Amino acid sequence: MTVPVDEVLTTTRAVRRRLLLDVPVEDQVIEDCLEVALQAPNGGNRQPWRWIVVRDEGQRARIAEVYRRCFADYVAELGNPGPSRDLDSARFLADNLHRVPVLVLPCLVAPRLPEGSQASPWGSLLPAAWSYMLAARARGLGTAWTTCHLRREAEIADILGLPPGIRQGVLIPTAYHDGGPFRPARRTPLADVLVVDRWPRPERRTRELTADLDDPFFFDHELDHLPGMLLLSAALDLVRPAGGDPAVTLALDFRGMGELDEPVRLTAESPDDSGRLWQVHADQDGRTIMTGTIERIGAAASAPGTVAGTVKPVEQRLVHRRRAENVFVGDLVESEHDWRVTVLPAPAGHHLDGGRTAERLIEAARQFVTLLEYADNQRQEGTRFVLTRLAATVPAGPSAGAVLSWAKTGSRGNRPRYDVRILDAGGRAVGSVTVCGRALSDAAFRRLRGRPAPLATAAPVLSAGGPAAPR
């Protein structure tokens, strides 16, 4: 088949689900692709490579078994990544790698690798591996670039009988594909990644934050510390585009409780002028109280839906709120495998009404976790949950009608972690919120704060910080 060169270059995608796993691939086709690969540029024309083609069923099965363990480790490290077509596709490949008819492993002959830059040796191998994939694409084959197996490179080397000094660069599963069309992938626009002549100065934004004890949302009951939800909302306001409400992913560590009598200096820095990724930092009187990253990731594909008229707000005291307008979840619903709540809309004119989807969903998740601490983790009223880390991927658009789900995972002890999924009205996962913290009795919390007398609160408080929780 003949495919225009630009089409080959822009439509050679990772093919996993569309591989024809039961269709054999001819030796000659693989060798033709390798002949093309050998023409790739390489330093000094030394051609420091070896190409291992694995067809034997037993060998493929052994490699696949190691690969699945590597992939399981990778997924565990992600924690709660939220919905991802790419991750689902990668999981399919891990589950079916043994069925792929040909595995190609380009290897570098390198008894020693330099301690400094390794661009030169790897720069001779990896372009050749890509050339192999382009040649395969032009011949009706599907391939995928994966390095997950390198987590256990020595085990793969032992299966293949590789001598010392032969280093694996990539694993390329190869098979015919289903014949469907290929299209260019969605990529960041060129204007957002192009640098001409000189790297732009990092953008820096700052804001001074003070506590307004009369605020009906952040201080709807007495607190002796700056609420973490106020820090989160201020940080998001600092990095959000004017008039925009993009989908975001964030990871924040709460390292100390902000006091009420001193201003907080909030800083956001972006490494370039794209304004997508921001490093955020909050300090008070020389102490870091919050740090982390916020990244704008675009708009949501679809809105969660609308709230059924039968959903009633949960009892205010159970989510540590006095005012009814600050309750964002309905009653807990328990099944054999999980707990769920429905996200309710913010009243018109509320601080979180319009343009603050991330805060609404995260506040709803905070209230959900508070309920779970009582219902599932058997906390006594008066227990303080002190937030130490918050990670989230949240969609843009309306949040009302979303469902928050938490799969039961057994005992969580005094340092629980809740991986909450955000589901749309059809049950499709559209985001996630992970809440990590530690549970303290009221007495332990007072010791932490250096307060001998109980705080004047009408209900037990879920505090934020590292060691107070978004409120």
Side-chain angles (χ1 to χ4, degrees):
M1 63 184 290
T2 302
V3 184
V5 62
D6 282 2
E7 183 178 345
V8 171
L9 289 169
T10 58
T11 63
T12 299
R13 307 262 68 84
V15 185
R16 303 181 184 99
R17 293 182 183 275
R18 294 172 55 186
L19 294 175
L20 301 179
L21 301 175
D22 299 320
V23 177
V25 180
E26 302 86 349
D27 289 342
Q28 189 60 54
V29 176
I30 298 297
E31 290 178 11
D32 289 347
C33 295
L34 292 174
E35 290 286 359
V36 172
L38 296 186
Q39 294 299 315
N42 59 95
N45 198 27
R46 290 189 293 270
Q47 305 170 55
W49 48 49
R50 294 292 184 272
W51 298 80
I52 303 174
V53 177
V54 182
R55 289 182 168 277
D56 180 78
E57 184 177 351
Q59 287 287 83
R60 286 187 283 121
R62 295 177 66 193
I63 292 172
E65 192 278 327
V66 176
Y67 187 92
R68 278 189 284 274
R69 286 190 278 122
C70 294
F71 184 76
D73 292 343
Y74 166 71
V75 172
E77 290 170 7
L78 292 178
N80 184 32
S84 170
R85 291 179 60 187
D86 287 342
L87 186 60
D88 290 343
S89 177
R91 182 176 288 109
F92 177 85
L93 179 65
D95 291 341
N96 293 278
L97 187 65
H98 60 289
R99 297 178 57 199
V100 179
V102 180
L103 305 179
V104 176
L105 294 94
C107 295
L108 182 68
V109 180
R112 295 185 184 85
L113 286 172
E115 294 184 3
S117 173
Q118 296 186 8
S120 179
W122 290 113
S124 293
L125 179 72
L126 301 185
W130 178 235
S131 290
Y132 166 83
M133 295 175 67
L134 295 174
R137 162 82 174 94
R139 289 164 173 77
L141 297 171
T143 59
W145 181 292
T146 177
T147 56
C148 187
H149 69 296
L150 296 179
R151 292 167 174 263
R152 288 180 167 83
E153 183 179 3
E155 292 183 47
I156 301 294
D158 184 61
I159 293 171
L160 298 174
L162 301 185
I166 303 298
R167 302 172 187 271
Q168 302 159 56
V170 61
L171 171 62
I172 308 176
T174 305
Y176 284 107
H177 61 79
D178 61 9
F182 287 87
R183 300 179 180 87
R186 296 178 62 181
R187 293 288 191 254
T188 301
L190 176 62
D192 288 351
V193 298
L194 177 63
V195 176
V196 178
D197 294 332
R198 182 178 175 84
W199 195 269
R201 288 191 177 189
E203 185 176 357
R204 179 182 176 89
R205 302 176 184 177
T206 60
R207 175 183 176 183
E208 187 172 272
L209 190 63
T210 56
D212 177 6
L213 302 184
D214 294 323
D215 187 282
F217 172 63
F218 295 116
F219 292 93
D220 77 342
H221 60 267
E222 295 87 346
L223 291 173
D224 75 334
H225 58 273
L226 199 70
M229 195 66 196
L230 177 59
L231 293 175
L232 171 68
S233 185
L236 286 167
D237 281 345
L238 203 57
V239 305
R240 253 190 297 247
D245 184 28
V248 299
T249 182
L250 58 86
L252 300 174
D253 291 308
F254 294 85
R255 298 185 176 180
M257 289 186 176
E259 303 300 336
L260 300 178
D261 54 356
E262 292 287 340
V264 170
R265 181 177 176 82
L266 195 63
T267 304
E269 291 187 345
S270 182
D272 54 41
D273 58 358
S274 70
R276 292 178 179 272
L277 178 65
W278 295 86
Q279 179 75 38
V280 295
H281 185 89
D283 66 82
Q284 185 180 60
D285 196 25
R287 297 183 302 114
T288 296
I289 58 176
M290 184 187 76
T291 187
T293 59
I294 301 175
E295 183 178 6
R296 304 197 323 240
I297 57 175
S302 61
T306 57
V307 181
T310 56
V311 178
K312 295 182 179 180
V314 73
E315 189 177 347
Q316 293 153 226
R317 69 181 185 84
L318 295 179
V319 291
H320 303 165
R321 290 295 184 183
R322 282 185 174 175
R323 294 177 170 87
E325 68 268 19
N326 292 327
V327 177
F328 287 103
V329 296
D331 282 324
L332 276 174
V333 177
E334 182 182 10
S335 72
E336 181 182 355
H337 303 292
D338 68 1
W339 292 89
R340 296 189 176 200
V341 294
T342 299
V343 179
L344 305 178
H350 192 280
H351 176 75
L352 301 187
D353 175 33
R356 288 188 166 90
T357 300
E359 289 99 308
R360 290 198 301 276
L361 287 171
I362 291 171
E363 169 63 13
R366 182 203 71 79
Q367 295 182 13
F368 184 31
V369 167
T370 306
L371 294 172
L372 291 172
E373 278 290 283
Y374 293 143
D376 189 85
N377 212 13
Q378 306 304 312
R379 298 293 181 210
Q380 299 297 314
E381 291 199 19
T383 299
R384 308 280 184 139
F385 184 85
V386 177
L387 181 71
T388 56
R389 181 172 174 80
L390 175 69
T393 297
V394 293
S399 60
V403 172
L404 303 181
S405 168
W406 175 75
K408 296 177 179 178
T409 58
S411 175
R412 278 150 303 290
N414 288 327
R415 293 183 179 270
R417 164 179 170 156
Y418 290 93
D419 294 320
V420 176
R421 293 197 305 157
I422 304 170
L423 311 177
D424 65 13
R428 183 174 65 94
V430 294
S432 63
V433 180
T434 294
V435 179
C436 304
R438 55 194 182 115
L440 299 173
S441 67
D442 191 56
F445 182 80
R446 293 200 306 272
R447 288 194 298 270
L448 175 70
R449 300 289 291 135
R451 309 289 204 270
L455 300 175
T457 54
V461 178
L462 182 72
S463 301
R471 299 267 334 170

